[in-house]
Amino acid sequence: MMLRDSLSGIRVLDFSHVVAGPVCGMLLGDMGADVCKIEPLDGELGRTIGPPWQNGESVVALSVNRSKRGLAVDLRHEAGRAAVRRMALQADILVESFRPGVMRKFGLDAPSLQGANPRLVYCSISAYGQSGPGRDKPGVDGVIQAVAGLMATLGEENGSPAKVGIPIADMATGYLATVATLSALHKARETGRGQHLDMSLFNATVMLQHLGMAFHFATGLEPAKLGSAAPYAAPNEAFPTADGWIMVAAYQPARWNRLCELLGLEDLSRDARFADNEARVGNRTALHAVLDPVFQRFSTRHWLDRLSAGDILCAPIASYAQVRASAEYQAGGIEIETEHPVAGTVRMPGLAFGDATTLPYRAAPTPGQHSAEILAEYGIDAEDIRALQACGAIRGPSINP
């Protein structure tokens, strides 16, 4: 059985929106679960985020909602809520990312649904968690990067605050939510009892900084902003070349000595300021004052060839276009295509775990694209589906009489 069949037969109701929750639902779908994306009749908030757009469709929504089918339902309508509650009786996993308390107002909170379906794994994703002082505060990726300490570690010394350019807080939360959900699903299969998982962007972003926080606990110091450098190793950073930059990691003793030889700086390895990794970390500015002018004599390509031949870990600072053109990317089987009914061909990185990439991916759904077929599969008969359509509780293609 391949990885992308591993969750075959698992039913997921995905009420989440924007990025963090949808990533969790997407990964479960990538691994074979039947994921139903449940959103308002006009679509969830993530569909409005852009640029960029592809044929009028948000690339954000397209990129985090593959491997799902779409049900558009008005949860303000009692008939819509009743239909979803019937579905929840048969579901294995529910993912939601409303503010705490919203699902309770709809009668779709964990206690209500798990009372009728004890094996349901219920994953709530929010900015600051389901309880505590930040429970009712809104939060988005950039704000979370700031308040969780990540922005304080990024950028150049004495430079302005910086953030990771991708929504790393959202992505980390989505990935961690997937891990937690799979763990709870395993337990539910053993015991017949699901769990209510409380995943917050704040906690996930702090957890993502495990090493940095551990250093802070050990020393009491705040991390310095070091640009491309690592606080625990030197040289382990980018150096300017004649035509660009090169990333070099040569902090292990043998590689440090070899780097000095390759740069024609044999005496440097005997300099007390740079005698070992700890000394080099403490004298990083002086180290750059010596190494930068040498690297700037020749091109990036020259140094890549020379250092690689000497077993020095190094790499170019690649653009996305260069990443896609690289031999590693081409051989990795990571790029996938889906065919979307509006956006057309959509490309993105997929779940690249060996043979896991051999199965076709489903494109992100349009709002309500699969409403009727999903409800029918959950045991709601054609007459009731037509009634839901007639009263405006759901959106989607009409069901035949």
Side-chain angles (χ1 to χ4, degrees):
M1 180 180 291
M2 289 183 294
L3 178 65
R4 289 196 54 224
D5 278 335
S6 60
L7 296 183
S8 178
I10 298 299
R11 285 179 157 180
V12 180
L13 304 183
D14 181 1
F15 288 85
S16 64
H17 50 275
V18 190
V19 173
V23 165
C24 176
M26 176 188 72
L27 293 174
L28 295 172
D30 284 349
M31 289 183 277
D34 178 19
V35 181
C36 172
K37 181 176 179 62
I38 301 175
E39 59 186 322
L41 303 187
D42 292 331
E44 53 111 333
L45 178 61
R47 296 186 183 276
T48 69
I49 296 176
W53 311 95
Q54 188 165 328
N55 291 341
E57 296 289 307
S58 165
V59 173
V60 170
L62 292 171
S63 68
V64 297
N65 285 295
R66 66 169 185 255
S67 301
K68 305 176 187 181
R69 293 185 295 165
L71 166 62
V73 57
D74 186 352
L75 293 179
R76 298 170 300 179
H77 202 299
E78 174 53 35
R81 296 194 297 274
V84 169
R85 280 193 289 269
R86 289 180 60 180
M87 295 173 67
L89 291 174
Q90 304 168 56
D92 300 285
I93 297 168
L94 185 149
V95 182
E96 63 92 7
S97 62
F98 293 107
R99 286 198 199 181
V102 170
M103 289 293 271
R104 182 175 55 80
K105 292 179 181 178
F106 292 138
L108 299 171
D109 54 306
S112 298
L113 296 184
Q114 288 175 325
N117 179 6
R119 64 184 174 82
L120 179 66
V121 174
Y122 193 110
C123 180
S124 293
I125 298 174
S126 62
Y128 299 97
Q130 299 298 301
S131 61
R135 177 183 186 272
D136 297 320
K137 293 169 59 176
V140 294
D141 181 271
V143 170
I144 298 297
Q145 287 197 42
V147 73
L150 184 57
M151 285 180 66
T153 72
L154 302 175
E156 298 290 340
E157 185 179 6
N158 301 319
S160 60
K163 65 186 289 289
V164 180
I166 60 168
I168 193 69
D170 281 326
M171 297 298 294
T173 307
Y175 275 80
L176 284 170
T178 304
V179 173
T181 297
L182 293 176
S183 176
L185 178 66
H186 175 72
K187 194 67 174 178
R189 285 174 161 178
E190 285 186 340
T191 65
R193 305 292 302 183
Q195 299 176 50
H196 184 192
L197 304 173
D198 182 1
M199 307 298 299
S200 78
L201 273 70
F202 179 84
N203 282 357
T205 307
V206 172
M207 292 166 67
L208 184 65
Q209 301 171 84
H210 177 94
L211 280 179
M213 292 294 288
F215 294 167
H216 172 68
F217 293 146
T219 67
L221 301 176
E222 294 293 335
K225 295 200 293 184
L226 299 173
S228 64
Y232 50 82
N236 187 15
E237 51 226 271
F239 291 91
T241 66
D243 60 356
W245 294 83
I246 184 172
M247 180 69 187
V248 177
Y251 49 90
Q252 296 168 331
R255 284 197 169 100
W256 166 243
N257 292 332
R258 182 60 177 151
L259 177 67
C260 292
E261 293 174 8
L262 292 170
L263 297 180
L265 299 171
E266 289 84 351
D267 291 344
L268 200 62
S269 63
R270 296 185 289 272
D271 189 318
R273 296 173 299 169
F274 314 125
D276 56 27
N277 182 64
E278 186 171 357
R280 292 191 295 274
V281 168
N283 292 287
R284 193 187 302 272
T285 300
L287 182 66
H288 271 273
V290 176
L291 297 186
D292 285 2
V294 178
F295 277 110
Q296 288 176 309
R297 292 174 188 168
F298 299 103
S299 68
T300 299
R301 183 73 266 164
H302 169 89
W303 288 119
L304 288 171
D305 293 342
R306 183 167 176 80
L307 299 186
S308 296
D311 192 34
I312 301 298
L313 304 180
C314 60
I317 312 299
S319 67
Y320 278 6
Q322 290 169 329
V323 171
R324 293 186 61 195
S326 69
E328 293 81 4
Y329 183 91
Q330 296 298 321
I334 193 171
E335 185 172 301
I336 66 166
E337 292 184 358
T338 63
E339 294 299 325
H340 189 271
V342 179
T345 301
V346 180
R347 296 181 177 88
M348 69 190 81
L351 194 64
F353 295 151
D355 288 342
T357 60
T358 61
L359 299 179
Y361 286 81
R362 182 191 294 271
T366 58
Q369 182 178 350
H370 309 98
S371 291
E373 74 178 56
I374 290 170
L375 292 172
E377 290 176 13
Y378 275 85
I380 298 176
D381 62 34
E383 182 177 350
D384 287 342
I385 294 173
R386 284 193 289 270
L388 287 166
Q389 290 174 324
C391 73
I394 65 168
R395 170 185 173 181
S398 299
I399 189 170
N400 294 325

CSV table of all heavy atoms in Angstrom, one decimal, residues 191 212 229 234 260 284 292 303 388 396:
chain,number,residue,atom,x,y,z
A,191,THR,N,-9.4,2.5,20.8
A,191,THR,CA,-10.3,2.7,22.0
A,191,THR,C,-11.8,3.0,21.7
A,191,THR,O,-12.6,2.9,22.5
A,191,THR,CB,-9.8,3.8,22.9
A,191,THR,OG1,-9.9,5.0,22.2
A,191,THR,CG2,-8.4,3.5,23.3
A,212,GLY,N,15.9,27.6,19.2
A,212,GLY,CA,16.1,28.9,19.7
A,212,GLY,C,15.6,29.1,21.1
A,212,GLY,O,16.3,29.8,21.9
A,229,ALA,N,23.3,33.7,9.1
A,229,ALA,CA,24.1,32.9,9.9
A,229,ALA,C,23.4,32.1,11.0
A,229,ALA,O,22.2,32.5,11.3
A,229,ALA,CB,25.2,33.8,10.6
A,234,ALA,N,29.9,28.5,13.0
A,234,ALA,CA,30.6,29.4,12.1
A,234,ALA,C,31.9,28.8,11.5
A,234,ALA,O,32.6,28.1,12.3
A,234,ALA,CB,30.9,30.8,12.8
A,260,CYS,N,40.2,26.6,4.9
A,260,CYS,CA,41.3,27.5,5.0
A,260,CYS,C,42.3,27.2,3.9
A,260,CYS,O,42.9,28.1,3.2
A,260,CYS,CB,42.0,27.4,6.4
A,260,CYS,SG,41.0,28.1,7.7
A,284,ARG,N,32.7,36.3,15.0
A,284,ARG,CA,32.1,36.2,13.6
A,284,ARG,C,32.4,37.4,12.8
A,284,ARG,O,32.7,37.3,11.6
A,284,ARG,CB,30.6,36.0,13.7
A,284,ARG,CG,29.9,35.5,12.4
A,284,ARG,CD,28.4,35.5,12.5
A,284,ARG,NE,28.0,34.6,13.5
A,284,ARG,CZ,27.7,33.3,13.4
A,284,ARG,NH1,28.0,32.7,12.2
A,284,ARG,NH2,27.3,32.6,14.4
A,292,ASP,N,35.3,37.5,3.6
A,292,ASP,CA,34.6,38.2,2.6
A,292,ASP,C,35.4,38.7,1.4
A,292,ASP,O,35.0,38.4,0.2
A,292,ASP,CB,33.8,39.4,3.2
A,292,ASP,CG,32.6,39.0,4.0
A,292,ASP,OD1,32.4,37.7,4.1
A,292,ASP,OD2,31.9,39.8,4.5
A,303,TRP,N,33.5,29.2,-6.9
A,303,TRP,CA,33.6,28.7,-5.5
A,303,TRP,C,32.8,27.4,-5.3
A,303,TRP,O,33.2,26.5,-4.5
A,303,TRP,CB,33.2,29.8,-4.5
A,303,TRP,CG,34.1,30.9,-4.4
A,303,TRP,CD1,33.9,32.2,-4.7
A,303,TRP,CD2,35.5,30.8,-4.0
A,303,TRP,NE1,35.1,33.0,-4.5
A,303,TRP,CE2,36.1,32.1,-4.1
A,303,TRP,CE3,36.3,29.8,-3.6
A,303,TRP,CZ2,37.4,32.4,-3.7
A,303,TRP,CZ3,37.6,30.1,-3.2
A,303,TRP,CH2,38.2,31.4,-3.3
A,388,LEU,N,-33.0,20.9,0.2
A,388,LEU,CA,-31.9,21.8,0.7
A,388,LEU,C,-31.5,22.8,-0.4
A,388,LEU,O,-31.2,24.0,-0.1
A,388,LEU,CB,-30.7,21.0,1.1
A,388,LEU,CG,-30.8,20.1,2.4
A,388,LEU,CD1,-29.7,19.1,2.4
A,388,LEU,CD2,-30.7,21.0,3.6
A,396,GLY,N,-24.8,24.2,-5.3
A,396,GLY,CA,-24.1,23.2,-6.1
A,396,GLY,C,-24.9,22.8,-7.2
A,396,GLY,O,-26.1,23.2,-7.4
